């Protein structure tokens, strides 16, 4: 029933809608504990097809309600009692029954609907059509042959049987060969086979139409058809198509206009199949607009398809068939219609008694759907109610009562389908019922949100409040929010939020409450996260993951590792290479399969945290594949390949190798290196060789495995591509010239019969080339003039011909010894150990070879200290290149020398110059080889020494220095004694402090200064007893008495020395001091006994006897009782004492005594500076010499 809507009525309707909205709960979910009408929970689809291969067909109908619903069915609008049919299978407390596929199903074919009822109402399912498919068959028929004149169009009808869509048509021969389709021949949408014009080859007797029904897995075949094309008679002067040509016309669709209707979402298919000669071509347009995006043209332009059409695809379309003689057109009016679609679907409602209830139902579609209302499955007009009105698409129930509770059905239908919706309308007043369980516990994570649930059901709706810890006040604050469903949301939970919460639901009918406990825990947090890694294959990967979590979950915490979203099982035998130790995931012997994203999940019962890392496995590239040789051009070929996987490290180069089977079979050599962005290369090859090739890639990890080799490739023989290189011209004898070259490699021969043509001629005269052919790689030219220039060239040839024109090189014939010595040799003394030598260079005509340089030989005649001449060892220095001067260093000062100069070439040395004698001036002496303490007293120390073995001049005396040290940082002043008698070899230092340590220094002096220092340390005695040191056999001091320290040089004792003396004078009689000295004496005795035993271990040898007869001067005076220490390293005066030296070494003389020189050659730079090395001097030294570095005076 419908009423016209007026403006006043519309206003009233709006007011009622607002009021109802306030009191109505829409789309409710009513607990089954409350009485309610049925609600359909499961229903069959709109159609159910009985496929022959299915075992059964369920007709589903399930519903819920309180009381429990009862079910009934209708079939084709009539009651259908499924419970009385024994063939149907039923389920208890369910409306579902199952139709078995064990008999004739046709009797069950029809339209079904299910009804679920209880005392409060009836719910209705949508209609379901049960379709029983019949097996499609073509009728048995005898078809007459189709006879057609050549050039005329014809159609072979298929007329497929009806069946379950989709339908697919195929035209084939009796031998299952498809009929070839093209612009002339095509299958239409109706399955017919269209021929634009007949040709003779169309004649055949086995045109078969096959209809396929894939949903029922069935293909049926029509009786074969015959076609006979009668050839057209033509004169020899006519062209083949001159008479047959005609303008286009359409075989389908007929006429010039047609309409097409389809449902939204289906594919729009428009077809135009023309005929004519020549075969027409079809064009498609949409009038006023271009073809929609996604439009497709198939079947050689004859079929336009617009997938999933919608309203915007409606309109007018045109197809145009054209050939040179004209065109034919057809217009399509396309209408896209829609099945019903809800605009406002009716909703179930729970309303208070006495309120107004609105039930709205509207739908759209094309054509516009019709709306049908039912209540409890009965048409609305058959169940009147005084307080119920219909306003257009809305039902209004005024002042509703409990008896108005019912199930209302709204059905929207048009020719494309229908929609059905059930709306449960409940008119009840109910006190609150809280559906959430009482005493529920909730766990929250600190600083994160949590929701406490309180799902209440009531009519009218309840007011929900939450309180905490038995407080009567509702929770407040910006972090607390109560949602419409009654749940309490707490944002950023704090530890203080923990406790008991109470939810109170209250309405006009009553109230109800529940409690909930909230526990706030520390958040789980990963503090050490795994990091992305790139790791080499075969190594071990380590992924760290360390988490913090609430201590109360110590037994419930778990740390899980996942790879590519799949949990890693460490108990699985497949993952034996994976294990976790100390929160670190170990992956042993990493392989390519280990690459992926690894996720660490730290999980407790209330929260979790996760972190992931990408593990990339690096490896050498895989071998290239699919090597192909192409573009064969004799001695070149193109090689292409497909690169292998680079395993996360970009390929930098491809290396092409070759193997040849003639010279080095089985050995692969590099041929070519190409960049990473190439996968092909043209290979330039040698002739007369059989090659195989392979390729491998290189990345930052290394070189990958090589590919499989190619097939053999043989190159034809050819003349040599190159001539020998590295040609060397040498002359080992004066009248010969040796020519050598680097021979061609065997693979470079390019063919058999390799030989070399050697050509030479003099460069300084006009003459023809002299040629010789040899097979070896050397040639000797005899009877050449000495050292004259030649031009030489070497050319390769084989049986195929000559190599390229050779390059000319120059060289000289054999050398001879230089014939003359340098002239005007002169010596300039630079200092006591260095001289500069000059000479006039030898003229190049006298060299008779390549100038090598000059050599200087010199030897020492005698020392100027004595007059005896001693011819010393010869020394030589070599100075390469053309020069006229050199510097000779390392000479001994105050000596007489002789030297000669000579030149040399590749053959050897020339004659030496006349000897030149010269003398070196004085220098500073060498250090004294022996400096010893011979006697130590309470206030004195006796010294002895030997003069330097090389005085380097006339000795003028000695410089003796000493100072108090006592092992402290503060030292005494340096005392100096000038000894002017060079023959003095002994000295006694007096007036010293008892039991004090002194350091002694000695240097020998000439008029040029004093030499390097030799030093000694010694401690004076406590008592005045004679501490003797074994005497030295020193001839220089045998008759000289040991002078004492002169009185004027005695220094005033320092504060430290005075204090020491006072202590010594006062403690000698103390008992503890006597005991200490006894202990020292006992320790000394033990040390002496140990030394005596150790020294006597070698007494049985003759060497020991010789040592006893001839004691070494260096070992004398070293007895432990002397308190003396010898040092040849600490030769400088100590801190604060250098200012008291009485003599200075003259500047410039300290460098005169250089290292000794040997007989081997040494080289100098152009300016004569030394660049060679020298051997040790072979001069006698005193056996007691103590080596020490030369000291520069302060």
């Amino acid at each position: 029933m419908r009423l016209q809507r007026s403006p006043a009525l519309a206003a009233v309707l709006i007011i009622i809608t607002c009021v109802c909205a306030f009191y109505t709960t829409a789309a409710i979910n009513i607990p089954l504990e409350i009485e309610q009408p049925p609600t359909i929970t499961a229903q069959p689809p709109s159609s159910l097809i009985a496929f022959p291969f299915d075992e059964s067909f369920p007709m589903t109908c399930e519903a819920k309600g309180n009381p429990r619903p009862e079910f009934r069915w209708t079939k084709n609008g009539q009651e259908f009692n499924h419970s009385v049919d024994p063939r149907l299978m039923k389920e208890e407390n369910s409306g579902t029954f199952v139709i078995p596929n064990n008999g004739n199903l046709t009797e069950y074919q029809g339209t079904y609907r299910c009804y679920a009822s209880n005392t409060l109402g009836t719910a209705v399912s949508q209609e379901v059509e049960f379709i029983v498919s019949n097996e499609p068959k073509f009728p048995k028929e005898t078809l007459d042959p189709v006879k057609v004149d050549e050039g005329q169009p014809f159609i072979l009808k298929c007329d497929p049987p009806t069946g379950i869509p989709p339908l697919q048509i195929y035209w084939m021969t009796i031998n299952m060969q498809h009929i070839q389709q093209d612009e002339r021949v095509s299958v239409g949408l109706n399955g017919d086979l269209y021929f634009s014009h007949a040709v003779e080859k169309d004649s055949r007797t086995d045109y078969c139409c096959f209809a396929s029904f894939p949903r029922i897995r069935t293909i049926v075949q029509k009786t074969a058809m015959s076609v006979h094309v009668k050839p057209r008679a033509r004169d020899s002067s006519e062209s083949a198509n001159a008479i047959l040509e005609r303008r286009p016309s359409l075989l389908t669709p007929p006429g010039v206009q047609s309409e097409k209707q389809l449902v939204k979402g289906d594919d729009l298919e428009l077809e135009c199949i023309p005929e004519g000669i020549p075969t027409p071509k079809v064009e498609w347009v949409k009038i006023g607009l271009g073809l929609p995006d996604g439009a497709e043209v198939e079947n050689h332009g004859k079929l336009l398809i617009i997938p999933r059409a919608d309203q915007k695809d409606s309109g007018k379309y045109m197809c145009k068939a054209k050939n040179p003689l004209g065109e034919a057109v057809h217009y399509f009016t396309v209408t896209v219609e829609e099945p019903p679609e809800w605009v406002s679907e009716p909703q179930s409602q729970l309303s208070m008694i006495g309120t107004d209830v609105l039930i709205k139902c509207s739908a759209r579609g094309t054509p516009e759907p019709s709306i049908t209302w039912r209540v409890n499955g009965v048409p609305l007009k058959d169940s009147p109610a005084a307080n119920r009105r219909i306003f257009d698409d809305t039902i209004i129930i005024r002042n509703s009562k409990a008896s108005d509770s019912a199930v209302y059905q709204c059905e929207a239908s048009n020719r494309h389908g229908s929609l059905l919706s059930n709306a449960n309308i409940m008119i009840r007043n109910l006190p609150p019922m809280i559906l959430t369980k009482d005493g529920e516990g909730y766990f929250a994570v600190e600083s994160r949100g949590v929701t406490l649930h309180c799902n209440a059901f009531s009519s009218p709706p309840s007011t929900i409040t939450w309180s905490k810890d038995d407080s009567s006040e509702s929770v407040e604050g910006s972090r607390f929010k109560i949602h419409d469903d009654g749940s309490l949301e707490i944002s950023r939970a704090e530890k203080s939020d923990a406790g008991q919460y109470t939810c109170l639901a209250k309405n006009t009918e009553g109230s109800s409450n529940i409690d909930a406990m909230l526990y706030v825990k520390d958040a789980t947090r990963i503090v050490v996260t795994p990091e992305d890694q790139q790791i080499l294959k075969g190594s071990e990967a380590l992924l760290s993951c360390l988490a913090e979590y609430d201590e109360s979950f110590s037994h419930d915490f778990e740390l899980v590792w996942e790879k590519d979203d799949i949990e890693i099982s460490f108990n699985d035998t497949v993952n034996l290479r994976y294990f976790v130790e100390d929160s670190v995931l170990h992956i042993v012997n990493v392989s390519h399969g280990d690459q992926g994203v690894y996720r660490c999940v730290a999980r407790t019962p209330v929260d979790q945290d996760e972190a992931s890392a990408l593990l990339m496995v690096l490896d050498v590239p895989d071998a290239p594949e699919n090597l192909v040789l192409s573009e064969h051009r004799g001695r070149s070929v193109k090689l292409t390949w497909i690169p292998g996987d680079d395993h996360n490290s970009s390929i930098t180069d491809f290396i092409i190798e070759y193997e040849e089977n003639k010279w080095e079979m089985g050995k692969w050599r590099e041929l070519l290196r190409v960049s990473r962005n190439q996968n092909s290369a043209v290979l330039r090859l040698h002739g007369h060789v059989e090659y195989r090739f392979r390729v491998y890639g290189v990345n930052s990890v290394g070189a990958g495995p090589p590919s499989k080799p190619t097939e053999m490739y043989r190159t034809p023989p050819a003349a040599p591509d190159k001539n020998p290189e590295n040609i060397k011209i040498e002359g080992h004898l004066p009248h010969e010239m040796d020519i050598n070259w680097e021979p061609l490699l065997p693979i470079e021969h390019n063919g058999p019969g390799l030989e070399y043509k050697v050509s030479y001629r003099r460069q300084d005269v006009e003459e023809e080339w002299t040629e010789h052919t040899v097979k070896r790689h050397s040639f000797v030219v005899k009877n050449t003039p000495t050292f004259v220039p030649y031009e030489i060239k070497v050319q390769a040839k084989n049986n195929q011909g000559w190599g390229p024109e050779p390059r000319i090189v120059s060289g000289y014939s054999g050398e001879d010894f230089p014939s003359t010595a340098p002239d005007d040799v002169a010596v300039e003394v630079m200092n006591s150990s260095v001289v500069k030598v000059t000479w006039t260079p030898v003229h190049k005509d006298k060299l008779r070879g390549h100038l090598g340089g000059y050599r200087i030989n010199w030897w020492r005649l005698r020392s100027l200290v004595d007059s005896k001449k001693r011819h010393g060892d010869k020394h030589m220095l070599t100075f390469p290149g053309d020069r006229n001067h050199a510097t000779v260093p390392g000479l001994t000062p105050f000596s007489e020398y002789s030297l000669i100069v000579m030149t040399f070439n590749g053959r050897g040395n020339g004659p030496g110059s006349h000897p030149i004698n010269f003398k070196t001036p004085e220098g500073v002496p060498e250090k004294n080889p022996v400096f010893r303490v011979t006697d130590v007293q309470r206030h004195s120390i006796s010294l002895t020494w030997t003069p330097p073995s090389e005085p380097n001049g006339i000795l003028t005396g000695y410089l003796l220095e000493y100072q108090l040290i006592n092992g402290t940082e503060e030292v005494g002043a340096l005392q100096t004694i000038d000894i002017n008698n060079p023959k003095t070899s002994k000295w006694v230092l007096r007036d010293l402090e008892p039991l004090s340590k002194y350091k002694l220094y000695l240097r020998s002096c000439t008029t040029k200064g004093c030499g390097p220092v030799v030093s000694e340390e010694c401690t004076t005695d406590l008592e005045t007893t004679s501490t003797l040191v074994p005497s030295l056999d020193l001839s220089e001091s045998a008759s000289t008495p040991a002078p004492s320290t002169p009185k004027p040089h005695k220094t005033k004792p320092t504060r430290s020395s005075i204090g020491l003396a006072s202590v010594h004078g006062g403690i000698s009689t103390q008992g503890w001091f006597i005991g200490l000295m006894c202990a020292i004496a006992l320790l000394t005795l033990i040390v002496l006994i140990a030394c005596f035993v150790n020294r006597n271990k070698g007494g049985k040898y003759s060497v020991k006897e010789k040592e006893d007869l001839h004691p070494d001067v260096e070992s004398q005076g070293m007895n432990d009782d002397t308190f003396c220490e010898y040092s040849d390293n600490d030769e400088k005066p100590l801190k604060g004492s250098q200012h008291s030296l009485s003599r200075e070494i003259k500047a410039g003389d300290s460098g005169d005594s250089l290292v000794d020189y040997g007989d081997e050659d040494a080289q100098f730079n152009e300016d004569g500076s030394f660049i060679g090395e020298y051997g040790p001097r072979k001069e006698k030294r005193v056996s007691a010499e103590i080596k020490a570095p030369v000291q520069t005076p302060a």
Side-chain angles (χ1 to χ4, degrees), residues 795-808:
Q795 186 177 18
K797 71 176 290 290
N798 62 16
N799 294 344
Q800 301 299 315
W802 293 95
E805 183 63 27
R807 179 175 59 90
I808 297 176

Side-chain angles (χ1 to χ4, degrees), residues 97 138 182 187 196 224 234 269 273 295 382 423 449 494 582 639 665 692 726 744 799 844 875 932 984 989 1091 1139 1172:
F97 66 92
F138 280 105
D182 51 25
V187 177
S196 175
R234 58 176 68 90
E269 296 180 331
I273 300 179
D382 296 337
E494 300 174 356
D582 296 332
L639 175 63
M665 185 181 301
R692 289 199 307 168
N726 297 329
L744 298 184
N799 294 344
K844 64 179 182 178
H875 304 274
R932 289 288 181 266
T984 300
L989 298 178
C1091 292
H1139 64 278

Side-chain angles (χ1 to χ4, degrees), residues 679-690:
N679 61 351
S680 66
V682 177
L683 309 180
R684 310 295 179 187
L685 308 174
H686 295 290
H688 197 55
V689 178
E690 283 191 1

Side-chain angles (χ1 to χ4, degrees), residues 643-943:
D645 192 336
D646 64 5
H647 295 303
N648 303 307
S649 178
S650 298
I651 296 175
T652 57
D653 296 286
F654 288 103
I655 310 299
I656 303 173
E657 294 183 320
Y658 71 89
E659 177 200 35
E660 47 85 17
N661 66 349
K662 187 173 184 180
W663 308 104
E664 293 180 309
M665 185 181 301
K667 188 171 185 179
W668 290 90
R669 291 186 176 274
E670 182 176 328
L671 175 63
L672 188 63
R673 182 183 293 257
V674 299
S675 62
R676 62 184 180 186
N677 55 358
Q678 292 183 245
N679 61 351
S680 66
V682 177
L683 309 180
R684 310 295 179 187
L685 308 174
H686 295 290
H688 197 55
V689 178
E690 283 191 1
Y691 287 94
R692 289 199 307 168
F693 306 99
R694 69 183 188 187
V695 184
Y696 64 88
V698 179
N699 61 12
S700 60
V701 180
S707 65
K708 294 181 180 179
T710 65
E711 68 274 12
M712 298 298 296
Y713 180 74
R714 183 180 182 86
T715 57
D721 295 320
K722 57 184 293 187
N723 290 310
E725 297 176 347
N726 297 329
I727 300 175
K728 296 180 181 179
I729 298 96
E730 300 172 336
H732 300 291
L733 295 175
H735 302 293
E736 289 184 358
M737 180 172 61
D738 295 342
I739 304 173
N740 297 277
W741 58 88
E742 186 177 300
L744 298 184
L745 297 174
I747 198 172
E748 296 173 338
H749 291 185
N750 281 355
L754 183 74
E755 294 179 326
Y756 302 101
K757 182 176 72 173
V758 183
S759 305
Y760 59 90
R761 67 182 179 188
R762 284 188 60 172
Q763 195 175 29
D764 54 348
V765 296
E766 292 283 342
E767 68 177 22
E768 296 295 326
W769 291 95
T770 303
E771 298 177 347
H772 296 274
T773 301
V774 296
K775 293 186 177 181
R776 60 185 181 275
H777 54 276
S778 64
F779 183 74
V780 179
V781 182
K782 303 284 188 180
N783 302 320
T784 62
T786 300
F787 198 66
V788 296
Y790 276 84
E791 290 181 336
I792 299 97
K793 58 183 181 180
V794 181
Q795 186 177 18
K797 71 176 290 290
N798 62 16
N799 294 344
Q800 301 299 315
W802 293 95
E805 183 63 27
R807 179 175 59 90
I808 297 176
V809 297
S810 299
Y812 284 82
S813 57
E815 299 178 89
D816 205 349
F817 298 106
S819 60
T820 185
D823 294 328
D824 304 325
V825 178
V827 176
E828 178 184 355
V829 178
M830 307 299 292
N831 55 40
S832 60
S833 61
V834 179
V835 297
K836 180 179 180 181
V837 184
T838 60
W839 61 86
T840 300
V842 176
H843 193 271
K844 64 179 182 178
D845 294 338
K846 305 295 185 180
L847 289 174
R848 300 202 290 184
H850 296 287
L851 174 64
Y854 292 86
R855 289 190 172 106
I856 299 176
N857 287 355
W858 77 92
W859 56 94
R860 187 182 183 194
L861 296 177
R862 64 188 178 92
S863 171
L864 297 181
V865 176
D866 55 37
S867 58
K868 184 191 296 183
K869 286 202 172 186
R870 296 178 299 173
H871 192 11
D873 295 334
K874 283 189 176 182
H875 304 274
M876 182 176 68
L877 287 177
T878 299
F879 303 93
D882 189 8
R883 59 192 302 136
N884 62 359
H885 68 279
T887 301
V888 179
L891 303 177
T892 303
F894 209 53
S895 302
E896 183 176 3
Y897 282 88
S898 183
L899 65 74
I900 62 173
V901 182
M902 66 188 72
T903 187
F904 67 93
N905 60 17
R907 186 74 191 280
N909 296 331
S913 64
H914 294 291
I916 301 296
N917 292 348
F918 63 91
K919 297 177 181 178
T920 55
E922 277 192 279
V924 297
E926 294 182 356
K927 71 177 182 178
N928 300 75
V930 176
F931 178 47
R932 289 288 181 266
V933 175
T934 58
D935 185 42
V936 179
Q937 298 295 326
R938 179 181 176 87
H939 296 289
S940 66
I941 297 175
S942 298
L943 304 171

Side-chain angles (χ1 to χ4, degrees), residues 12 71 96 124 211 357 368 397 421 786 902 948 950 1033 1041 1157:
V12 172
F71 298 91
T96 301
V124 181
V357 178
E368 183 178 352
I397 303 174
S421 178
T786 300
M902 66 188 72
E950 285 291 350
D1033 185 12
Y1157 297 84

Side-chain angles (χ1 to χ4, degrees), residues 115 338 356 531:
Y115 295 82
E338 297 183 59
D356 292 343
E531 298 180 352

Side-chain angles (χ1 to χ4, degrees), residues 463-761:
T463 301
I464 304 295
T465 58
W466 283 87
S467 60
K468 181 175 181 289
D469 295 334
D470 298 327
S471 172
S472 60
E473 300 294 329
S474 177
V475 292
E476 294 180 351
S478 59
R479 296 187 300 106
F480 298 90
K481 181 181 179 181
I482 300 177
H483 292 275
D484 293 340
D485 61 358
S487 60
L488 173 64
E489 179 183 359
I490 304 176
S491 303
R492 303 182 306 279
E494 300 174 356
K495 287 293 182 75
S496 60
D497 295 333
Q500 178 176 296
Y501 287 78
T502 300
C503 170
L504 176 62
K506 186 176 183 181
N507 70 358
T508 57
E509 304 298 317
S511 64
S512 180
N513 65 77
I514 61 168
D515 293 330
M517 289 298 299
L518 176 63
Y519 306 91
V520 180
K521 302 294 185 179
D522 292 330
T524 302
R525 186 168 60 93
I526 294 178
V527 293
V528 178
T529 61
E531 298 180 352
D532 294 346
Q533 293 187 32
Q534 292 185 341
I535 192 165
L536 293 177
K537 178 189 175 187
S539 56
E540 182 177 6
L542 304 176
L543 297 172
S544 300
C545 183
L546 185 62
E548 295 177 348
Y549 53 91
D550 194 279
E551 61 182 8
S552 64
F553 294 130
S554 58
H555 298 295
D556 298 318
F557 173 77
E558 62 175 346
L559 190 67
V560 176
W561 282 95
E562 299 175 353
K563 177 182 180 292
D564 297 331
D565 299 325
I566 299 176
E567 183 175 341
I568 300 174
S569 174
F570 296 100
N571 296 325
D572 191 349
T573 56
V574 178
N575 297 324
L576 292 178
R577 295 183 299 105
Y578 291 70
F579 66 91
V580 176
E581 186 176 62
D582 296 332
S583 301
V584 177
L585 173 63
H586 296 250
I587 307 175
V588 182
N589 191 19
V590 171
S591 63
H592 295 306
D594 297 323
Q595 179 169 304
V597 176
Y598 287 80
R599 179 179 291 107
C600 164
V601 182
R603 184 181 297 141
T604 66
V606 298
D607 73 330
Q608 69 178 38
D609 192 16
E610 61 183 43
S612 59
L614 174 63
L615 180 65
M616 298 179 65
V617 180
L618 305 180
D619 196 6
V620 297
D622 285 345
E625 299 176 343
N626 298 343
L627 271 66
V628 176
L629 295 175
S630 61
E631 300 181 16
H632 302 250
R633 295 175 180 171
R635 292 174 56 204
S636 76
V637 66
K638 183 176 182 180
L639 175 63
T640 58
W641 61 89
I642 297 176
D645 192 336
D646 64 5
H647 295 303
N648 303 307
S649 178
S650 298
I651 296 175
T652 57
D653 296 286
F654 288 103
I655 310 299
I656 303 173
E657 294 183 320
Y658 71 89
E659 177 200 35
E660 47 85 17
N661 66 349
K662 187 173 184 180
W663 308 104
E664 293 180 309
M665 185 181 301
K667 188 171 185 179
W668 290 90
R669 291 186 176 274
E670 182 176 328
L671 175 63
L672 188 63
R673 182 183 293 257
V674 299
S675 62
R676 62 184 180 186
N677 55 358
Q678 292 183 245
N679 61 351
S680 66
V682 177
L683 309 180
R684 310 295 179 187
L685 308 174
H686 295 290
H688 197 55
V689 178
E690 283 191 1
Y691 287 94
R692 289 199 307 168
F693 306 99
R694 69 183 188 187
V695 184
Y696 64 88
V698 179
N699 61 12
S700 60
V701 180
S707 65
K708 294 181 180 179
T710 65
E711 68 274 12
M712 298 298 296
Y713 180 74
R714 183 180 182 86
T715 57
D721 295 320
K722 57 184 293 187
N723 290 310
E725 297 176 347
N726 297 329
I727 300 175
K728 296 180 181 179
I729 298 96
E730 300 172 336
H732 300 291
L733 295 175
H735 302 293
E736 289 184 358
M737 180 172 61
D738 295 342
I739 304 173
N740 297 277
W741 58 88
E742 186 177 300
L744 298 184
L745 297 174
I747 198 172
E748 296 173 338
H749 291 185
N750 281 355
L754 183 74
E755 294 179 326
Y756 302 101
K757 182 176 72 173
V758 183
S759 305
Y760 59 90
R761 67 182 179 188

